[in-house]
Amino acid sequence: MQKDLISIIIPCFNEEEMIPLFYDKMSGIMGATHMVDFELIFVNDGSKDRTLEGLRVLTERDSRVRYLSFSRNFGKEAAMYAGLKYAKGDFVAVMDVDLQDPPELLPAMYRILKNENYDCVGTKRVDRQGEPKIRSFFAKLFYKVINHISDNHIVDGARDYRLMTRRMVDAVLEMTEYNRFSKGIFTWVGFETKYLEYSNVERPAGKTSWSFWGLFKYSIDGIVAFSEAPLDIASVVGFVTFVVALLMAVFFTIRTLIFGNPTSGWTSLVVIVLALGGIQLLSLGILGKYIGKTFLETKRRPLYILKETDEELKRDE
Ligand code: UDP
Ligand code: MG
């Protein structure tokens, strides 16, 4: 019987220190798992350090290693998409190179997909140990908000680290949108997902490429990509303001009829003008965000541009 092939996609951005550490750990696990074949697909996302050199060396040493290299940094989402497209496996995993996604969970994940009725085994962190408190707070808040306003349920603490069957990978690949938010995409395609839990692991080397501001923007993009609620909020706020204005009109008319019209009310006027102006700008901003996303989407630009792959390296030999 032919063995199953598991493809592992590893996005790398400035990870020269982590690649050898990751490879050592992973080859231990691959060596101990006999019932399957593996391919490691590293995606070099426009690193500025010696990541690509590291990948070339590995590729020459180990035929299970392959790589894709982008012409510049396109982001982890694009790197994952490229890897999924390139993967040939019957099962495909996405894993960070920083060992924060424990590779030793992989055999258990494979067994679940083989023996139980799931198409995806995801992972979720049960704690956020070692992470700045403020970051955890906003992360929690983000999951609360998005799950409240979007029909697409996203599990709190779920990682991108997961093993999927071929049919799920093909479904994910059919989502060719430019504004990618994988956490949403993985749940949007459906299929049964089982979550394994583990406690947070800190990076052994290198550093995270996410700033707080970067994460904030990413979460807004996630909301815009999977919910239209902000647009509804703008309409509801507009409607409520209108009703308040009507009530005020009645109130002031009656007051003037009863008490006459002493010229006052400058303060209330300014407050009303500013409040309305603010609400209008906010609504325009929300609208603009969606239009901006639509604009990017309609250009149909490629998600990434390849500069080099292992195939060229192998052909040159
Ligand atoms: N990564 C990437 N492109 C980027 C940023 C990150 O391919 O623009 C990769 C990075 O090399 C790592 C993974 O995505 O393998 C997760 O990144 P990181 O550890 O910085 O994120 P965190 O674990 O802090 O969420
Ligand atoms: Mg990390």
Side-chain angles (χ1 to χ4, degrees), residues 18-30:
M18 277 316 302
I19 284 170
L21 296 178
F22 175 86
Y23 176 76
D24 286 345
K25 179 105 186 224
M26 202 59 228
S27 40
I29 288 163
M30 292 191 297

Side-chain angles (χ1 to χ4, degrees), residues 36-288:
V36 279
D37 289 326
F38 286 93
E39 68 174 355
L40 299 181
I41 303 177
F42 290 90
V43 185
N44 172 33
D45 184 14
S47 302
K48 295 260 179 290
D49 62 359
R50 300 183 56 78
T51 297
L52 181 58
E53 283 79 352
L55 295 181
R56 289 202 192 108
V57 171
L58 276 188
T59 311
E60 265 158 21
R61 203 165 68 189
D62 186 337
S63 61
R64 294 170 299 185
V65 176
R66 314 168 64 193
Y67 71 86
L68 302 171
S69 185
F70 289 175
S71 61
R72 65 168 169 87
N73 179 253
F74 280 90
K76 184 183 171 187
E77 295 285 347
M80 288 197 288
Y81 183 80
L84 288 175
K85 222 168 143 177
Y86 198 67
K88 300 193 177 126
D90 308 296
F91 297 87
V92 182
V94 182
M95 204 188 283
D96 286 358
V97 74
D98 57 12
L99 295 175
Q100 282 188 302
D101 296 337
E104 55 274 15
L105 288 179
L106 208 59
M109 291 160 97
Y110 172 71
R111 249 173 285 140
I112 291 171
L113 287 190
K114 269 313 236 195
N115 302 325
E116 295 173 40
N117 217 356
Y118 289 102
D119 277 288
C120 177
V121 182
T123 54
K124 88 187 213 204
R125 292 189 294 189
V126 283
D127 61 59
R128 291 173 169 271
Q129 220 183 7
E131 194 182 69
K133 282 264 170 341
I134 179 100
R135 188 167 154 176
S136 313
F137 172 77
F138 277 100
K140 285 242 154 61
L141 186 69
F142 166 72
Y143 287 110
K144 274 225 179 75
V145 170
I146 195 158
N147 284 329
H148 200 72
I149 63 179
S150 168
D151 305 333
N152 194 33
H153 185 80
I154 296 176
V155 177
D156 183 3
R159 306 273 304 166
D160 288 334
Y161 179 29
R162 58 188 60 229
L163 183 69
M164 294 171 274
T165 57
R166 176 47 52 190
R167 39 170 191 261
M168 175 144 168
V169 173
D170 288 341
V172 170
L173 284 174
E174 269 186 53
M175 305 201 42
T176 52
E177 62 217 75
Y178 186 79
N179 299 289
R180 298 188 79 73
F181 182 68
S182 287
K183 285 186 171 43
I185 291 176
F186 289 139
T187 39
W188 193 92
V189 295
F191 299 107
E192 298 295 322
T193 300
K194 178 170 188 165
Y195 284 95
L196 301 182
E197 299 186 342
Y198 68 97
S199 57
N200 194 30
V201 188
E202 288 187 50
R203 247 178 193 275
K207 61 176 192 332
T208 172
S209 35
W210 286 101
S211 62
F212 182 77
W213 185 234
L215 274 177
F216 180 74
K217 285 212 309 225
Y218 183 62
S219 59
I220 297 286
D221 288 346
I223 290 175
V224 172
F226 281 94
S227 167
E228 284 163 26
L231 290 172
D232 297 338
I233 293 170
S235 339
V236 168
V237 171
F239 182 72
V240 169
T241 320
F242 176 68
V243 171
V244 170
L246 274 186
L247 293 177
M248 279 169 74
V250 173
F251 172 76
F252 284 119
T253 311
I254 292 173
R255 200 178 68 167
T256 310
L257 287 176
I258 296 175
F259 299 102
N261 186 18
T263 326
S264 71
W266 187 86
T267 319
S268 55
L269 199 65
V270 169
V271 171
I272 292 168
V273 170
L274 284 182
L276 280 182
I279 292 170
Q280 283 174 359
L281 285 180
L282 180 74
S283 310
L284 271 182
I286 294 176
L287 202 62

